[in-house]
Amino acid sequence: MQEAQNFGSGEQRFNAGIYKSSHNSYDRKESLAQQIDDYNVWQIELDIYDYEGELKVNHNCDPLLVHEADSLFFLLSKMVTESKTFTNKFTIVYLDLKGNGLDGCIIGNWGDDLNDRIKSTFLDALGKEHIYPSTQFINQDKKKWPSFQELVRRGFFWCVIIDWHGETPVNAVNDPVFFTAVPEIPADINALTENTVLVCMDGGCNANPIDKAPGPKGDRWIYRVYPDGACASDCGLQNGDYWRNAVDKKFTLVASNCVNRSHTFDTNTHSPCPLFVNNNAFNNCPVEGEGCEWGTHGFPFHSLADAISRASPMVTVLIKSGEYLLRTNGAGFIIDKPMVLKAVDGLVRIK
C-alpha cells in the first residue's frame, strides 16, 4: 500500500482529531477495558517500574506498593480479554518509565535488555500483528499518520509510545516497534529519531491552565496534555479551565483522571467508535446529577439524531432494533457528514 492511500474517502489522519485520554489509567476505578468501551478513552497511560525481575505498573515508588502492584502483562491481558470494542478503534498505550533515579525514585536500574523485555510483554499480550510498528509508520506511511479506520483495516488496534525521559537504553533507540515521546515542542524536528511522534506537556489545573499551545501537527505530530500533580486527584480542579483550555488549544490527547465525568465527553473531541444507539436503554449514570448518554457501549444514545450529530468522520453508528424518529414537525433530518449507519439485532425503522 502506498503512502498516498493511507486514509479512505471521508476519513482523516489519526493525529487530526482531539481525543479524550486518561491519566494514570491503571489507578482509576474504571478498568482499562471500561475506559476504552464505556468512557471513550483513546489513550491509556501506564507507569512502569522494572522491579524484582517483573515489569510493574504503579505511580508511587514505595517498594512495598510496587511489589504489590499489578504486572504489565496482567493488565494488558485483562484489558484485551474484557474489552468489547477495541477491535473497532485505535488506542495509544503511553508508557511512562519510572525508577532509574528519575523523580527521586531509585527503584531498579534500567539495563540494556529492558526495552526487549517490555516489547516481549506487549507482543505476548496484544499480538505482534495488532501493534502498529514504528517501521511501518516511517517506511510505508512516510511519517504521516493513516486514519484510524485504515489502521484497523490493516489489523492494528494499538500503538505503544514510550517516554524514556532522556534515559533511552542504547538498544531502544529507533526501535522498530515502539514510538517515543519528548516533553517539549522540538526546536529541530530533524534532530529527533524518526520514531519520535509525541510531545507530552503538563497542562496545569483549572487555576493555572497551560498557556503554551501545541506546535504544528503536520501529518506526524501528536500533542498530549495531562493535569498537573497538584490537581490530578481532584476532579473539581481539572473539570473547567484545564479541560476547556486544552480542547480549545487543540491538543491531540487531552488527559483526565476523571473519565466518568460528563465534561470529558466534550463534543469537540472525537466521538466513540462505534457509536451505540438503543432506544430502550437505561443508563445508570456513574456520577449523580450528570447525564450519561454518550454513545458508548455502556452508555448508548437513545436518540438516533443525537448519535448522528455526535459522529466524527466515518464513524460507524450501531443502531439496535426499534423505531427511531428523525423528523420534527414534518421537517426532514439532514445528514451532512460521512458516516456508516448499521442496524444490529433486527429491524430498524426510521421515520
Side-chain angles (χ1 to χ4, degrees):
M1 179 177 292
Q2 300 299 312
E3 174 267 324
Q5 298 174 296
N6 66 4
F7 60 96
S9 177
E11 298 170 359
Q12 62 182 10
R13 296 194 185 280
F14 178 74
N15 74 328
I18 302 172
Y19 301 88
K20 174 182 176 178
S21 70
S22 65
H23 181 234
N24 296 339
S25 309
Y26 54 90
D27 203 28
R28 313 272 61 82
K29 66 179 180 180
E30 304 83 9
S31 70
L32 300 181
Q34 287 174 322
Q35 291 178 51
I36 293 169
D37 294 346
D38 300 336
Y39 294 94
N40 193 34
V41 167
W42 290 75
Q43 176 259 305
I44 62 172
E45 177 189 13
L46 303 176
D47 292 329
I48 305 297
Y49 287 95
D50 182 13
Y51 182 65
E52 295 181 332
E54 274 195 291
L55 300 174
K56 293 285 195 170
V57 181
N58 197 62
H59 191 275
N60 191 302
C61 62
D62 180 288
L64 178 60
L65 296 177
V66 177
H67 173 79
E68 295 178 345
D70 289 323
S71 72
L72 176 62
F73 181 78
F74 171 80
L75 284 181
L76 293 176
S77 300
K78 184 173 184 286
M79 174 181 69
V80 171
T81 300
E82 294 180 350
S83 175
K84 301 174 179 63
T85 68
F86 77 87
T87 57
N88 295 277
K89 60 191 295 189
F90 182 71
T91 303
I92 292 176
V93 182
Y94 168 73
L95 295 187
D96 189 352
L97 269 290
K98 300 289 188 180
N100 206 37
L102 295 174
D103 301 321
C105 293
I106 59 174
I107 292 179
N109 293 308
W110 299 349
D112 286 340
D113 67 339
L114 179 56
N115 186 74
D116 290 338
R117 290 171 55 210
I118 295 173
K119 189 186 306 181
S120 177
T121 301
F122 272 93
L123 297 182
D124 289 346
L126 304 185
K128 179 180 180 180
E129 70 277 17
H130 298 312
I131 301 173
Y132 181 48
S134 60
T135 50
Q136 190 166 132
F137 173 78
I138 294 166
N139 298 320
Q140 178 173 323
D141 294 312
K142 309 302 182 186
K143 291 179 281 190
K144 298 179 180 181
W145 283 100
S147 65
F148 84 83
Q149 294 94 336
E150 170 60 20
L151 289 163
V152 169
R153 286 191 289 269
R154 297 185 197 174
F156 298 128
F157 313 128
W158 317 96
C159 83
V160 183
I161 303 179
I162 300 184
D163 194 337
W164 291 99
H165 301 285
E167 301 284 340
T168 311
V170 173
N171 69 344
V173 176
N174 274 320
D175 185 86
V177 175
F178 295 149
F179 295 85
T180 59
V182 292
E184 296 290 340
I185 298 173
D188 180 5
I189 192 172
N190 297 315
L192 299 173
T193 58
E194 291 186 298
N195 66 337
T196 305
V197 295
L198 178 71
V199 180
C200 190
M201 303 168 69
D202 186 333
C205 302
N206 285 348
N208 59 334
I210 186 173
D211 57 0
K212 293 181 180 178
K217 291 183 180 179
D219 297 324
R220 171 181 176 179
W221 289 98
I222 293 173
Y223 294 86
R224 176 180 183 264
V225 67
Y226 60 93
D228 184 80
C231 63
S233 61
D234 189 341
C235 292
L237 299 179
Q238 56 178 285
N239 65 356
D241 287 344
Y242 160 77
W243 183 266
R244 285 192 296 271
N245 177 64
V247 172
D248 290 346
K249 282 184 166 58
K250 301 187 185 319
F251 280 88
T252 322
L253 304 172
V254 182
S256 175
N257 293 62
C258 313
V259 298
N260 64 354
R261 303 301 295 267
S262 289
H263 75 272
T264 64
F265 291 86
D266 189 307
T267 55
N268 291 310
T269 63
H270 200 287
S271 70
C273 184
L275 268 172
F276 291 86
V277 184
N278 182 351
N279 63 357
N280 294 315
F282 174 76
N283 292 333
N284 184 19
C285 294
V287 178
E288 186 176 353
E290 291 193 359
C292 56
E293 289 192 21
W294 299 320
T296 62
H297 181 270
F299 305 100
F301 283 115
H302 294 181
S303 164
L304 177 56
D306 288 346
I308 291 172
S309 297
R310 177 70 174 103
S312 295
M314 289 305 291
V315 159
T316 297
V317 180
L318 295 181
I319 313 168
K320 191 171 178 63
S321 60
E323 186 171 277
Y324 298 84
L325 178 66
L326 279 184
R327 290 180 176 269
T328 304
N329 298 324
F333 185 91
I334 298 175
I335 301 176
D336 60 357
K337 54 186 175 181
M339 66 186 68
V340 178
L341 303 179
K342 184 177 180 180
V344 295
D345 297 334
L347 179 67
V348 169
R349 191 187 306 262
I350 300 174
K351 63 178 186 177

